[in-house]
Amino acid sequence: MSMLRSLTLGAMLAAVPLALTIGCDKKTETETAEARDLTQKVTEAEKAETQARGTAKAQKEALAKAGVQPETAGVQLSEAQRSLLEARVKAEKNNGTAALLQEILDRDKQIADLDAKVAKLRSELPRPVIAKENDSHFALAVRYLKGRGLSEEKAKLAAARANLLETLQPGWQIYHQYVGGTYITAVTQGKADVGPTEYLTNQRVALQKERDDSMQSAQRLATQVEGLVAERTKVQEDVDALRTEKTTLLSQVNELSTLSQAQKLKLNAMHYLIGKRKDLENDGTIVVPVFAKDRMGPKALTAKFDKDLALDGPNPEVVIQAADLGLNKISKVNVIPGSLEKGKHYSLTFSEDHKNATVRILDADRLRNDRVVLAVTD
């Protein structure tokens, strides 16, 4: 059931069986006239009530300004008050005050005329149902049609043919009429704060805003994803380049049989650099991305990796002392490049007082003749 399209100040709808929509006999013309008549009267009554509400609001403000308290429940003056105000108008010397009092008198008559017009129009209309919390237009229509003698199946069919409101607000007035097989219904504001037209407009605006917000959020996420994909590609390129370099160097080792013992030791060692993570990031030795693992930076020059760890012996390891770095303790050690996996390529343990940390090599072949940065955080 789609959301109702509004008709001027009310919401006028009709469900007309196919036979009536294509026929042109006297019966069809009568039913069409009935529908037009209900539409016109509901529209006129809603228009008059809206005008009456606006006039009453203006009258209330004017009465407060003039210091007049109506004796009736609404804003209309009693006969005694009218006579008193008429006398005040004649005696008042201040033109502004006299104009305000005359405006109140004129508007009081206008309100009486509007109330009478509304009462007359309402008397010519069917008695409306006042919507309550969680009421359904479809359920109210079916209940009305069953009360007119239709079976539940036929009542639901007639109601389903109407373009009913999806949501009813408490206080709305729902009119029903069933004329010779034609079901007619209308919804007006009644005592509610907003009428159907304004409510549907507000709903549409809210849905459009929600759609726009969702689209903006999706665009932001798409931008973030693009950034992550680019970062991942860059890291993968760095890893591939390092692996290619290592493969080339290892191939050269196999081909050269006359290398000195010192060179052989160099090629069979891990070359590492120890430093505070923040310092290493600041001087460009490492890069700390937001959404990826740490990697070598543009300043990770070979000359900086002046420490070698021989990998030929059993359980090669590097012991990092907090005092050597001017730290009280070690809370974290990042092993870079980030492609090295803890538990597969190396293990990391801390002393009980975190004064030192031990990085033990588990896969010597993976780290042979490779550069590694040990970035320490206190």
Side-chain angles (χ1 to χ4, degrees), residues 6 8 54 92 151 313 315 329 342 350 373:
S6 59
T8 58
E92 184 60 55
S151 66
N315 302 322
K329 63 177 182 178
K342 183 178 178 181
F350 297 90
V373 176

Side-chain angles (χ1 to χ4, degrees), residues 106-120:
D106 294 342
R107 193 182 287 115
D108 185 66
K109 184 177 183 307
Q110 185 183 4
I111 291 172
D113 292 342
L114 286 171
D115 287 347
K117 181 179 180 180
V118 170
K120 181 177 181 302

Side-chain angles (χ1 to χ4, degrees), residues 136-208:
S136 160
H137 199 175
F138 181 79
L140 293 176
V142 171
R143 185 168 64 190
Y144 166 79
L145 291 168
K146 288 175 66 178
R148 294 298 305 273
L150 273 70
S151 66
E152 182 165 353
E153 182 180 354
K154 290 184 177 180
K156 287 182 177 180
L157 179 61
R161 287 171 176 165
N163 193 16
L164 303 179
L165 279 170
E166 187 171 309
T167 304
L168 294 177
Q169 296 300 301
W172 282 0
Q173 295 177 331
I174 297 89
Y175 291 90
H176 303 286
Q177 192 171 44
Y178 188 67
V179 182
T182 302
Y183 169 57
I184 307 166
T185 182
V187 181
T188 61
Q189 181 172 341
K191 300 295 184 182
D193 293 334
V194 295
T197 301
E198 183 180 356
Y199 176 81
L200 294 176
T201 299
N202 293 341
Q203 291 290 97
R204 183 173 64 254
V205 170
L207 286 173
Q208 289 173 345

Side-chain angles (χ1 to χ4, degrees), residues 12-13 55 97 124 138 160 208 228 235 272 315 346 354 369:
M12 194 62 211
L13 311 145
T55 304
T97 303
E124 297 172 356
F138 181 79
Q208 289 173 345
L228 290 172
V235 171
Y272 65 96
N315 302 322
Y346 68 93
H354 277 251
N369 196 36

Side-chain angles (χ1 to χ4, degrees), residues 66-68 83-93 97-98 101:
V68 178
S83 299
L84 179 62
L85 287 182
E86 288 169 355
R88 282 184 58 185
V89 170
K90 293 177 181 179
E92 184 60 55
K93 295 180 179 180
T97 303
L101 297 175

